[in-house]
Amino acid sequence: MCVVLGLGLIGGAAVGSWLSGDGDAPAPASAYEAAGGLWHSVPVDKLFPPTLDGKGAGPGGADRTWTRIAVAPDSGCADAFDPLLRKVLAPVGCRRLLRATYTDATQSYVTTVGLLFTKADPAAMTSLANRFRGERLDRRTDLLPRPYAAKGTAAAKFGDAQRASWTIDVLTDAPVVAFAVSGWADGRSVDAPEPAADAVRAGATSAPAQAGLGNEAQGLADRVERRLRQRVGPATEKTA
């Protein structure tokens, strides 16, 4: 009787799996794990769309519209960060790096926005986020992301010396570091880059702040990060 009952339960489970269509389905992935795999499962236009609207993202709440002018080949992280920043990020590893460069409606400014997909677990990402916060690493001018300057575009002259403002956000609910770096499209060099968090403050008088380059970096980083988070739910549902 026990044998018959056991076989019945096994058979019932098998029929249930067949009816639901997930007999060979993998175990449900967590939102964190799903987010870590988005770099190869989501089309680039979903993370870095051809145009992005920045309602209220400019200085004084002005609207912004950004146009994508280049997408970097997905790659490792060796040349994407200043040496010290690369060292700081090393503990979480580099699984993949996605970057795109945008320009504003007037093509006066250019901004590279990126998503670094790490190899780290939640504890390691939380540790790195705490270090950035505690040591204010996102304010240091020797810890900057590098721009993606695509030839034949408005960003062709956007090199390291042209970086004017930047932002770096270490996520703790996904193995991702989001960042953006902005500058002028005409190739002018910048003596004193300013973190976006400082450049967007009311009354800021630096050249990057007056030009709204902090808003460019922060606005684009926020919107790309938001799109990443929006994809985590659907990705989790597909693997469940």
Side-chain angles (χ1 to χ4, degrees), residues 215-230:
N215 298 81
E216 298 290 307
Q218 191 68 65
L220 273 164
D222 286 348
R223 280 152 183 79
V224 168
E225 184 177 321
R226 194 178 306 158
R227 295 183 74 86
L228 173 74
R229 293 180 187 280
Q230 289 171 350

Side-chain angles (χ1 to χ4, degrees), residues 94-180:
C94 175
R95 186 178 303 279
R96 216 65 171 183
L97 176 67
L98 306 182
R99 292 183 295 169
T101 298
Y102 287 80
T103 188
D104 68 309
T106 67
Q107 294 196 355
S108 299
Y109 313 122
V110 285
T111 303
T112 293
V113 59
L115 296 170
L116 163 60
F117 289 83
T118 76
K119 301 177 181 179
D121 60 16
M125 293 301 292
T126 298
S127 176
L128 181 64
N130 289 339
R131 185 182 177 194
F132 263 79
R133 189 179 306 110
E135 300 178 28
R136 297 173 62 86
L137 299 182
D138 56 345
R139 300 293 205 273
R140 286 179 47 168
T141 56
D142 56 350
L143 299 173
L144 267 64
R146 287 175 170 166
Y148 176 61
K151 296 180 179 179
T153 72
K157 300 178 181 178
F158 189 22
D160 288 354
Q162 284 70 45
R163 294 175 293 184
S165 191
W166 79 99
T167 181
I168 303 173
D169 188 16
V170 180
L171 309 189
T172 56
D173 55 350
V176 176
V177 178
F179 62 89

Side-chain angles (χ1 to χ4, degrees), residues 174-209:
V176 176
V177 178
F179 62 89
V181 58
S182 62
W184 282 276
D186 61 8
R188 75 183 74 174
S189 60
V190 178
D191 294 330
E194 184 173 35
D198 295 337
V200 300
R201 289 178 179 172
T205 59
S206 68

Side-chain angles (χ1 to χ4, degrees), residues 56-73:
D63 295 339
R64 281 285 193 266
T65 299
W66 297 289
T67 301
R68 192 186 71 200
I69 56 176
V71 176

